[in-house]
Amino acid sequence: MAEEELRRAKHSLIMTARRELSVSGVEEVSGFNDESVTLVTAIGELTVSGGHLHISKFSQETGELLLDGEIDCLRYSESRKEKGSFFSRLFR
């Protein structure tokens, strides 16, 4: 299995009635409030938008996250993780 396929196999979403979301392959939660949750996943950054959002469970060891609330939008983008140290990025 190619590296990209392996990374994709580690990530999945299960949404129930736009009220509950289960996500696997989460590497970190990079930001959250009651209207938006931003996750770094195995295949890029995932932003969940809506209202009254609440992270009910997150395990960094397994990469599993459970979210509930009014889910309006799921949006993927490329990960914003920068390679290199802080100073190497600062002095490009």
Side-chain angles (χ1 to χ4, degrees):
M1 193 181 277
E3 183 178 334
E4 183 65 24
E5 290 175 356
L6 183 60
R7 286 179 45 196
R8 288 181 188 275
K10 293 181 181 180
H11 177 66
S12 67
L13 298 171
I14 300 172
M15 184 165 33
T16 307
R18 291 180 57 187
R19 300 280 309 155
E20 297 177 350
L21 181 67
S22 173
V23 185
S24 65
V26 177
E27 296 173 359
E28 72 178 81
V29 176
S30 60
F32 64 93
N33 59 41
D34 65 338
E35 295 178 347
S36 176
V37 177
T38 304
L39 311 170
V40 177
T41 73
I43 61 170
E45 189 173 81
L46 171 63
T47 301
V48 181
S49 302
H52 309 290
L53 297 177
H54 174 258
I55 297 172
S56 55
K57 179 182 174 185
F58 175 55
S59 171
Q60 196 165 17
E61 292 82 30
T62 63
E64 299 288 325
L65 181 130
L66 297 176
L67 177 74
D68 57 67
E70 300 167 9
I71 300 167
D72 294 332
C73 178
L74 301 172
R75 183 178 58 241
Y76 282 96
S77 60
E78 291 300 315
S79 180
R80 294 183 187 163
K81 282 187 173 182
E82 294 285 335
K83 294 184 179 180
S85 70
F86 170 76
F87 290 109
S88 69
R89 291 180 302 200
L90 184 64
F91 294 111
R92 284 188 191 179

